[in-house]
Amino acid sequence: MALKSTVFKAELQVSDLDRGHFAEYPLTVARHPSETDDRMMARILAFAMFAGPDLAFSKGLSSDDDCALQEVDPSGVLRTWIELGQPDESRIRKGCNKADRAIVLAYGARAVDVWWQQTGPLLSRFSNLTVLRLSAEETQALGRLAERTMKLSCTIQEGTIWLASGEQSIQLSPETLLSARAA
């Protein structure tokens, strides 16, 4: 018998001073049985970082073709493709070719160093790709915020992210490994 996803509910308040975006999002997040709290919370963080009216979680781990999050405009055009972890070059290439903008939020401690050393040189040709990295400590701190019902507050200013849940608060500063070039 297949294991079912665990449903998490989050009320996410985003105050992104860098983009001038302020909104509240009621999120329902299905955590796949093979997904860790760290990865699930990284998905929520990615949502907060790039939040907008058309951004949504996709099927993710339960579908090989889907990314973690995507922004599809009302006319059906894929504007933003967001993936987590250490995807291979072919997966990233597909995302870059499908969307106006592609983003990878890499995490995974030292494995990111190995992945970036092998994959990074292949990715510089994609002008619409941004690759960000969370440190192992930041990823673990995110995972510790996971609860079945969460009320999260996210403030983003000058590239620094403060994420709070109740009395717990963490500060994150994702490192930019590759920046999309201006069109």
Side-chain angles (χ1 to χ4, degrees):
M1 183 162 73
L3 296 174
K4 292 184 179 181
S5 293
T6 304
V7 176
F8 287 74
K9 299 266 187 188
E11 289 181 36
L12 175 64
Q13 178 183 11
V14 176
S15 300
D16 188 336
L17 297 149
D18 293 346
R19 293 188 299 141
H21 179 79
F22 306 90
E24 292 185 21
Y25 298 92
L27 302 176
T28 300
V29 183
R31 190 183 76 194
H32 191 272
S34 66
E35 186 174 32
T36 64
D37 284 346
D38 294 357
R39 185 179 191 286
M40 181 194 67
M41 292 303 294
R43 282 197 294 144
I44 292 173
L45 174 67
F47 187 98
M49 291 170 67
F50 303 101
D54 300 322
L55 186 65
F57 295 106
S58 33
K59 292 179 183 151
L61 291 176
S62 60
S63 171
D64 291 337
D65 293 334
D66 273 349
C67 53
L69 296 109
Q70 58 188 7
E71 178 186 28
V72 179
D73 74 13
S75 66
V77 176
L78 180 60
R79 296 291 177 197
T80 307
W81 176 95
I82 302 172
E83 188 58 283
L84 301 175
Q86 301 150 36
D88 62 30
E89 184 271 340
S90 65
R91 185 170 181 80
I92 295 169
R93 180 183 55 227
K94 287 177 188 173
C96 288
N97 290 335
K98 286 181 184 178
D100 294 342
R101 152 174 98 150
I103 299 160
V104 174
L105 183 58
Y107 69 93
R110 292 190 182 143
V112 174
D113 294 332
V114 174
W115 169 79
W116 185 244
Q117 201 169 26
Q118 294 171 350
T119 310
L122 304 172
L123 302 179
S124 61
R125 70 180 191 259
F126 301 113
S127 62
N128 63 335
L129 176 64
T130 298
V131 180
L132 304 170
R133 174 193 186 154
L134 290 175
S135 71
E137 295 80 17
E138 290 172 324
T139 306
Q140 291 166 357
L142 275 171
R144 288 191 293 272
L145 293 179
E147 294 180 20
R148 292 288 298 273
T149 303
M150 299 175 270
K151 190 167 186 165
L152 301 168
S153 174
C154 180
T155 303
I156 302 170
Q157 184 175 18
E158 296 179 5
T160 300
I161 303 162
W162 292 270
L163 189 63
S165 176
E167 297 297 313
Q168 298 181 65
S169 180
I170 60 174
Q171 180 177 330
L172 308 151
S173 298
E175 176 188 359
T176 301
L177 299 178
L178 180 67
S179 219
R181 298 185 289 276

